[in-house]
Amino acid sequence: MGKQLVLVGGGHAHLTVLTKVNEFIAKGHSVTLVSPVTHHYYSGMGPGMLSQIYSPQEVRFHIKKMVEDRGGTFVHARAVGIDPEAGALRLDDGGELKYDAISFNTGSGIPDDNFAQAENVYPVKPIVNLLRAQKAIIDRIKTSTPDILVVGAGPAGIELAGNLHRLVTKNGGRANIKILAGSGVMNHFPEKVQRLTLESFRNRNIQVINSYLEKAQGNQAILPNGEAIKFDFIFPAIGVQPYPIFKGSGLP
């Protein structure tokens, strides 16, 4: 008797499996892909998509089509709970999927505790957020000079800041771009990398603020010293955390 294989999320770890769904089907098994989105965006090209170096079509995979073309089933939902004893996956639409084998490729999220009360927040994960930000910024620069704040000055933060500058200038607009750099820009990298990054920022009038964020509220970022920085768009790039589904699941 065939087994039920459930794939949760259609990221890179599952792409090879998705190309071989028909092989599982041919052996009598069923394959179901669960995802809240029909396309998977490649994170490495996300900042380039933001600045229009790449089109959305160039950086994404049509995971719904991939699984369905090979005889599998696509379930458009978000997984919200696991019952490992019953072999069941709970979905946000109230449904439940039984499984014999299950694999998770749900990616990561940005810690959002400090941003829950903020407006116009665009975390770097999931990458599709950057596409929404792109459209909102292009619309805003037609009539004003927005304040854009990037929180975090690691590789993700500096790529965002540079590509935000490119997006604005390419579309004939202006923006005040600032980056909250905590203890420094690219501080885990060699001194030359830090120097070149800072030179690039100076050439683009991207302001570096060497401070951490205490919290973001409304359209203001509050620093530990009490200073408030106004923003129209804010981009958290402060590291990642696991997908919350595993907490309380009973899995180790």
Side-chain angles (χ1 to χ4, degrees), residues 131-153:
L131 190 58
R132 290 194 284 266
Q134 177 200 94
K135 294 174 181 176
I137 289 172
I138 290 175
D139 186 57
R140 182 67 67 90
I141 60 176
K142 293 175 182 176
T143 57
S144 65
T145 301
D147 294 302
I148 303 176
L149 181 63
V150 177
V151 182

Side-chain angles (χ1 to χ4, degrees), residues 5-250:
L5 169 61
V6 174
L7 305 172
V8 186
H12 279 75
H14 279 166
L15 286 181
T16 300
V17 180
L18 292 178
T19 65
K20 299 180 183 296
V21 165
N22 55 312
E23 297 180 18
F24 290 95
I25 302 293
K27 293 179 180 179
H29 308 303
S30 68
V31 181
T32 301
L33 172 63
V34 179
S35 174
V37 294
T38 57
H39 294 75
H40 167 67
Y41 287 78
Y42 171 44
S43 58
M45 296 169 76
M49 178 183 69
L50 171 66
S51 64
Q52 300 179 316
I53 293 174
Y54 311 113
S55 70
Q57 292 78 13
E58 291 177 300
V59 309
R60 69 189 185 189
F61 304 91
H62 197 328
I63 54 175
K64 180 178 186 291
K65 187 174 189 300
M66 287 179 71
V67 69
E68 290 183 341
D69 282 357
R70 292 163 176 80
T73 301
F74 181 83
V75 175
H76 199 172
R78 184 181 300 277
V80 295
I82 314 163
D83 185 344
E85 294 297 325
L89 181 74
R90 295 192 298 275
L91 307 177
D92 62 351
D93 62 4
E96 187 176 272
L97 280 177
K98 292 287 188 178
Y99 64 83
D100 294 296
I102 190 165
S103 180
F104 294 91
N105 184 202
T106 49
S108 53
I110 302 297
D112 58 3
D113 293 349
N114 293 336
F115 301 92
Q117 299 178 2
E119 301 171 1
N120 294 324
V121 182
Y122 294 92
V124 295
K125 295 275 190 167
I127 295 299
V128 70
N129 287 340
L130 301 182
L131 190 58
R132 290 194 284 266
Q134 177 200 94
K135 294 174 181 176
I137 289 172
I138 290 175
D139 186 57
R140 182 67 67 90
I141 60 176
K142 293 175 182 176
T143 57
S144 65
T145 301
D147 294 302
I148 303 176
L149 181 63
V150 177
V151 182
I158 66 160
E159 279 198 66
L160 275 179
N163 280 281
L164 285 163
H165 177 270
R166 186 182 191 279
L167 173 68
V168 170
T169 55
K170 180 182 178 184
N171 286 278
R174 299 182 63 187
N176 301 313
I177 302 174
K178 301 176 182 179
I179 184 166
L180 279 183
S183 58
V185 172
M186 298 288 280
N187 60 354
H188 296 303
F189 286 77
E191 184 276 334
K192 183 178 180 180
V193 173
Q194 300 175 36
R195 176 170 52 80
L196 291 173
T197 302
L198 290 170
E199 286 178 6
S200 174
F201 280 176
R202 280 193 292 272
N203 292 337
R204 290 165 173 78
N205 293 317
I206 297 172
Q207 182 182 350
V208 176
I209 302 170
N210 288 315
S211 175
Y212 291 97
L213 175 75
E214 184 72 24
K215 65 178 178 179
Q217 194 166 7
N219 66 343
Q220 291 188 328
I222 311 301
L223 307 187
N225 64 3
E227 180 184 352
I229 298 175
K230 177 183 171 294
F231 62 81
D232 296 295
F233 303 94
I234 186 168
F235 291 82
I238 52 174
V240 295
Q241 65 183 10
Y243 192 63
I245 188 174
F246 305 108
K247 201 178 267 189
S249 67

